[in-house]
């Protein structure tokens, strides 16, 4: 019974929204960064092999791709760290909220944090001054930093706006590859289109990938169909789709984090014994 009661209290105090958001954030960031990195490498190989024979034509593109790959490394590191912090913040503020509502009896760590967040009694019990437990002191120090969901709401809101732009940008390569794939389908089934096969092309210059003076810059007809059938094109296309899905999952996780943190902040603000944040 003691073990079951302990497990029940832990489950009651667990921030399920933050747990789901953290798992979704880690999954989305890993998918976006890993697949995006490999998709950029595949795009570089396709441009070099089929769309331009002059290195100067795509030299700037290569620099941009390498820069984006380094940004991906930093993005992955930052979001894994920030996701862990948001999860910790969810555990701490949920403990304080649960104590306000009286849903469960907190542990030493929960008492230390709740005293910090809700302004409860510190260091004095019914029998006078008591020496604070060392673990409780550590939790109080953590609580001073993690027990302020208003700060996390602001940071997460800014990150959500930024990631919304990243999500929109991740749709651009999917759109380009989808148009190319659609053109290849038209070439493979000439009866479904009235245009001549030789006029059906994929022009990298049209999307700003290559400068207008690049040669050849575009691939048409049967040559384009042969490119679409290569494993490099198929793999790169699907990797960009996976990266887009990862960006969407990360966006949903940030929205979930923001909603959960806003709720905790509202409860602590309105019912936290008059605490000022």
């Amino acid at each position: 019974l003691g073990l079951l009661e302990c497990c029940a209290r832990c489950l009651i105090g667990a921030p399920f929204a933050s747990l789901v958001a953290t798992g979704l954030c880690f999954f989305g960031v890993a998918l976006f960064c890993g697949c995006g990195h490999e998709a950029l490498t595949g795009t570089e190989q396709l441009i070099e092999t089929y769309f331009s024979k002059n290195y100067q034509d795509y030299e700037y593109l290569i620099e941009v791709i390498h820069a984006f790959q380094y940004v991906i490394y930093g993005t992955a590191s930052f979001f894994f760290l920030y996701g862990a912090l948001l999860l910790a913040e969810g555990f701490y503020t949920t403990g304080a909220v649960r104590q306000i509502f009286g849903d469960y009896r907190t542990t030493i760590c929960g008492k230390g944090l709740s005293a910090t967040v809700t302004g409860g009694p510190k260091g004095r019990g019914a029998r006078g001054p008591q020496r604070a437990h060392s673990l409780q002191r550590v939790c109080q120090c953590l609580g001073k930093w993690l027990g302020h969901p208003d700060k996390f709401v602001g940071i997460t809101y800014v990150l959500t706006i930024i990631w919304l732009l990243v999500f929109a940008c991740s749709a651009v390569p999917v759109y380009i590859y989808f148009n190319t794939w659609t053109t290849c389908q038209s070439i493979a089934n000439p009866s479904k289109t009235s245009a001549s096969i030789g006029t059906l092309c994929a022009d990298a210059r049209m999307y700003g990938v290559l400068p207008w003076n690049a040669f050849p810059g575009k691939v048409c007809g049967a040559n384009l169909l042969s490119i679409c059938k290569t494993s490099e094109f198929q793999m790169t296309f699907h990797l960009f789709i996976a990266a887009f899905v990862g960006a969407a999952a990360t966006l949903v996780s940030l929205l979930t984090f923001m909603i959960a943190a806003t709720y905790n902040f509202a409860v602590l603000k309105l019912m936290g014994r008059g605490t000022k944040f």
Side-chain angles (χ1 to χ4, degrees):
L1 292 177
L3 179 60
L4 292 177
E5 183 181 0
C6 180
C7 293
R9 290 177 179 178
C10 290
L11 289 175
I12 291 175
F16 293 106
S18 296
L19 287 172
V20 172
T22 301
L24 196 61
C25 180
F26 287 171
F27 169 77
V29 170
L31 194 63
F32 173 78
C33 293
C35 295
H37 182 277
E38 293 302 316
L40 289 173
T41 302
T43 300
E44 178 182 344
Q45 294 175 354
L46 289 172
I47 293 295
E48 292 177 351
T49 305
Y50 302 106
F51 287 90
S52 180
K53 303 300 181 182
N54 187 2
Y55 177 74
Q56 293 181 351
D57 292 339
Y58 56 86
E59 180 180 5
Y60 178 72
L61 175 65
I62 299 301
E63 294 177 356
V64 172
I65 287 177
H66 291 170
F68 271 113
Q69 288 177 335
Y70 283 114
V71 170
I72 283 175
Y73 299 146
T75 301
S77 302
F78 172 77
F79 269 94
F80 275 104
L81 176 61
Y82 190 69
L85 289 176
L86 285 176
L87 180 61
E89 187 272 339
F91 270 102
Y92 280 118
T93 53
T94 298
V97 170
R98 297 289 185 178
Q99 188 184 28
I100 290 174
F101 286 119
D103 288 347
Y104 75 110
R105 295 176 59 188
T106 59
T107 60
I108 292 177
C109 189
K111 292 177 181 178
L113 172 76
S114 299
T116 303
V117 174
T118 62
K122 303 178 183 178
R124 286 183 176 270
R127 298 182 180 181
Q130 295 180 354
R131 181 174 297 179
H133 196 281
S134 58
L135 179 59
Q136 187 173 348
R137 289 180 179 272
V138 173
C139 293
Q140 286 177 355
C141 293
L142 291 173
K144 290 179 180 179
W145 187 57
L146 293 175
H148 294 277
D150 55 328
K151 298 179 181 179
F152 284 95
V153 169
I155 297 174
T156 307
Y157 180 80
V158 174
L159 287 176
T160 303
I161 298 300
I162 296 175
W163 196 260
L164 187 61
L165 298 177
V166 174
F167 173 70
C169 292
S170 66
V172 174
V174 176
Y175 171 75
I176 295 174
Y177 274 86
F178 178 76
N179 280 349
T180 305
W181 178 80
T182 303
T183 304
C184 290
Q185 295 301 308
S186 299
I187 297 173
N189 300 282
S191 60
K192 296 183 180 181
T193 179
S194 58
S196 174
I197 294 179
T199 61
L200 297 176
C201 305
D203 195 341
R205 300 170 298 181
M206 182 176 62
Y207 301 106
V209 177
L210 293 175
W212 282 106
N213 59 352
F215 180 81
K218 64 178 181 179
V219 182
C220 303
N223 292 331
L224 179 60
L225 182 60
S226 63
I227 294 175
C228 292
K229 292 181 178 179
T230 60
S231 59
E232 292 84 1
F233 179 87
Q234 296 289 336
M235 181 61 68
T236 304
F237 184 24
H238 288 91
L239 285 173
F240 272 123
I241 294 176
F244 177 75
V245 173
T250 305
L251 181 62
V252 173
S253 71
L254 289 175
L255 291 173
T256 306
F257 273 131
M258 189 168 59
I259 293 172
T262 302
Y263 170 79
N264 287 334
F265 168 68
V267 172
L268 294 174
K269 181 70 174 180
L270 297 176
M271 305 182 66
R273 304 174 188 175
T275 302
K276 295 182 179 179
F277 291 89

